Amino acid sequence: MIHPLVLALETSCDETAAAVLRFPGELLGHVVASQADVHAAYGGVVPEVASRNHLVHVREVTESALQQAGVGLSDVDVCAATSGPGLASALLVGASAAKGLALALGKPFVAANHIEGHLLSPFFGRAEIPPSIGLVVSGGHTLLVDIEGAGRYRLLGRTLDDAAGEAFDKVAKLLGLGYPGGPLIEAAARQGDCTRFEFPRSMKCSGDFQFSFSGLKTSVRYLLPKTSESDRADLCASFQEAVVDVLVHKAVGAAKRCRRNLIAVSGGVGLNQRLRECLVRGAEDAGLEVLFAGPSLCTDNAAMIAYAAAWRAKRGEFSSVETDIFPSLGDTLFEVS
Ligand code: KG4
Ligand code: ZN
């Protein structure tokens, strides 16, 4: 398969998404139905509500992606779906739908890995994956990965507790700002002084590439009763700075340690302008380059899943329709370091 036409579904969290991709970069159909509004009432994603909503939307989202693409099901070469990591009951919806299509059409199925989707998203459209350091910063994951090429990844470090995006979401909830918290904190921080409050930079100098963000969230919780509404912007800016500081320090350190000259950033927190600014500056100082996933590919989407699945299809790595979902990250994606 040189340029496979891939139909991919993504239902690992609170986005129901479908994409039709002609590898490597012809994104013919791209539809994302976000449930953020539904979950905002709860201040976070409720798995049962997410899976029910996926069931309601998965068919129409798939049909509109195919319609946008101007292709029929019989034109599809490969059916793919995120099979993990993610919320079990949510993953089941997209994975079952894609397996059903693959069976009915007699086409191969790829059980795509959500993390690989994020990891490769900065390279979307390219027919080659350059050696680089992948920084995945999403609502569910914070990872540093040494990327040797497509399908060859070494896990350098990950968060030991909250993910970076989760920290933004939890702090926004503490402040009563709403969900998802990242963009709301970023907006409030724009008016604030990021040097006003000195929040902890957990594990910044640990000498490895692990992260920890839950202590930072706890510091915000303890400080909160001692502040007033007028301190809100400074608080958001100082919190954001603490997250960004650690991410930049570790990503640049990983690139130096692994002798890579490119950092590839993906995931929802990759939309954060302060992170972008500081990472570009930190990388420049170290003689490195930074590549960010395109804005529409940062938060969960099926285009990145189609791209990651296409790489697997090109290597002939198909999955049986009996392949189960895998809700946790595990280590199957990574070579032992
Ligand atoms: O990649 P994504 O859809 O999540 C997972 O796959 O888990 O990213 C969503 C996360 C949320 O935690 C959200 O608060 C965060 O990305 N986010 C941001 C920004 N936009 C989204 N965090 C910081 N600054 C932003 N501008
Ligand atoms: Zn994600």
Side-chain angles (χ1 to χ4, degrees), residues 10 12-13 15 114-115 118 136 138-141 267-268 298-301 304:
E10 154 63 41
S12 68
C13 191
E15 267 91 23
H114 187 80
I115 299 298
H118 278 303
V136 181
S138 71
H141 301 276
C298 276
T299 47
D300 287 348
N301 66 87
M304 68 180 190

Side-chain angles (χ1 to χ4, degrees), residues 140-177:
H141 301 276
T142 302
L143 305 173
L144 272 169
V145 179
D146 185 21
I147 302 174
E148 228 176 90
R152 297 200 309 281
Y153 318 115
R154 193 164 58 93
L155 181 62
L156 299 172
R158 59 196 284 193
T159 182
L160 301 177
D161 40 57
D162 293 349
E166 193 178 355
F168 272 94
D169 294 337
K170 287 181 173 171
V171 167
K173 195 172 179 181
L174 283 175
L175 299 176
L177 288 177

Side-chain angles (χ1 to χ4, degrees), residues 9-337:
L9 305 182
E10 154 63 41
T11 63
S12 68
C13 191
D14 62 342
E15 267 91 23
T16 318
V20 178
L21 172 74
R22 169 76 68 192
F23 182 85
E26 252 182 280
L27 185 55
L28 304 172
H30 186 212
V31 180
V32 181
S34 173
Q35 303 174 13
D37 290 352
V38 182
H39 298 280
Y42 306 96
V45 178
V46 183
E48 178 66 21
V49 174
S51 53
R52 282 168 186 249
N53 271 281
H54 288 315
L55 266 180
V56 172
H57 295 294
V58 72
R59 184 180 177 143
E60 70 200 36
V61 161
T62 307
E63 282 172 350
S64 14
L66 287 164
Q67 202 176 16
Q68 258 183 25
V71 300
L73 278 172
S74 56
D75 300 313
V76 170
D77 297 316
V78 177
C79 297
T82 305
S83 297
L87 303 170
S89 56
L91 288 167
L92 272 174
V93 178
S96 306
K99 286 177 194 174
L101 285 171
L103 269 177
L105 299 168
K107 297 291 166 69
F109 169 67
V110 173
N113 185 300
H114 187 80
I115 299 298
E116 188 176 27
H118 278 303
L119 202 58
L120 297 183
S121 62
F123 308 109
F124 185 86
R126 296 193 189 189
E128 250 173 78
I129 304 295
S132 47
I133 292 297
L135 172 66
V136 181
V137 272
S138 71
H141 301 276
T142 302
L143 305 173
L144 272 169
V145 179
D146 185 21
I147 302 174
E148 228 176 90
R152 297 200 309 281
Y153 318 115
R154 193 164 58 93
L155 181 62
L156 299 172
R158 59 196 284 193
T159 182
L160 301 177
D161 40 57
D162 293 349
E166 193 178 355
F168 272 94
D169 294 337
K170 287 181 173 171
V171 167
K173 195 172 179 181
L174 283 175
L175 299 176
L177 288 177
Y179 173 86
L184 301 165
I185 290 195
E186 180 175 10
R190 247 176 243 131
Q191 271 51 264
D193 170 7
C194 66
T195 62
R196 168 91 187 281
F197 300 107
E198 189 59 36
F199 286 121
R201 269 65 168 161
S202 302
M203 301 192 72
K204 182 178 173 185
C205 299
S206 58
D208 57 19
F209 301 110
Q210 314 280 45
F211 298 91
S212 166
F213 292 109
S214 76
L216 174 57
K217 167 200 67 196
T218 309
S219 301
V220 175
R221 176 179 290 140
Y222 286 149
L223 183 70
L224 207 52
K226 300 176 200 144
T227 62
S228 66
E229 191 59 38
S230 61
D231 300 315
R232 181 61 54 94
D234 292 347
L235 206 117
C236 287
S238 303
F239 159 78
Q240 177 175 269
E241 201 66 10
V243 176
V244 166
D245 189 16
V246 178
L247 290 176
V248 171
H249 182 83
K250 297 238 170 180
V252 170
K256 284 184 184 163
R257 177 90 54 96
C258 300
R259 298 176 195 282
R260 304 291 191 206
N261 55 17
L262 177 65
I263 299 172
V265 186
S266 58
V269 184
L271 287 170
N272 188 281
Q273 288 305 321
R274 184 67 186 153
L275 174 64
R276 289 185 170 227
E277 249 169 63
C278 294
L279 204 48
V280 167
R281 199 175 321 128
E284 249 172 38
D285 291 347
L288 308 167
E289 281 180 44
V290 190
L291 181 67
F292 295 94
S296 64
L297 299 183
C298 276
T299 47
D300 287 348
N301 66 87
M304 68 180 190
I305 301 303
Y307 185 60
W311 275 107
R312 288 189 181 229
K314 281 175 64 61
R315 296 195 298 270
E317 285 178 24
F318 298 109
S319 322
S320 151
V321 287
E322 281 161 34
T323 309
D324 205 355
I325 52 157
F326 44 97
S328 34
L329 175 61
D331 54 9
T332 47
L333 185 61
F334 305 108
E335 292 161 8
V336 182
S337 57

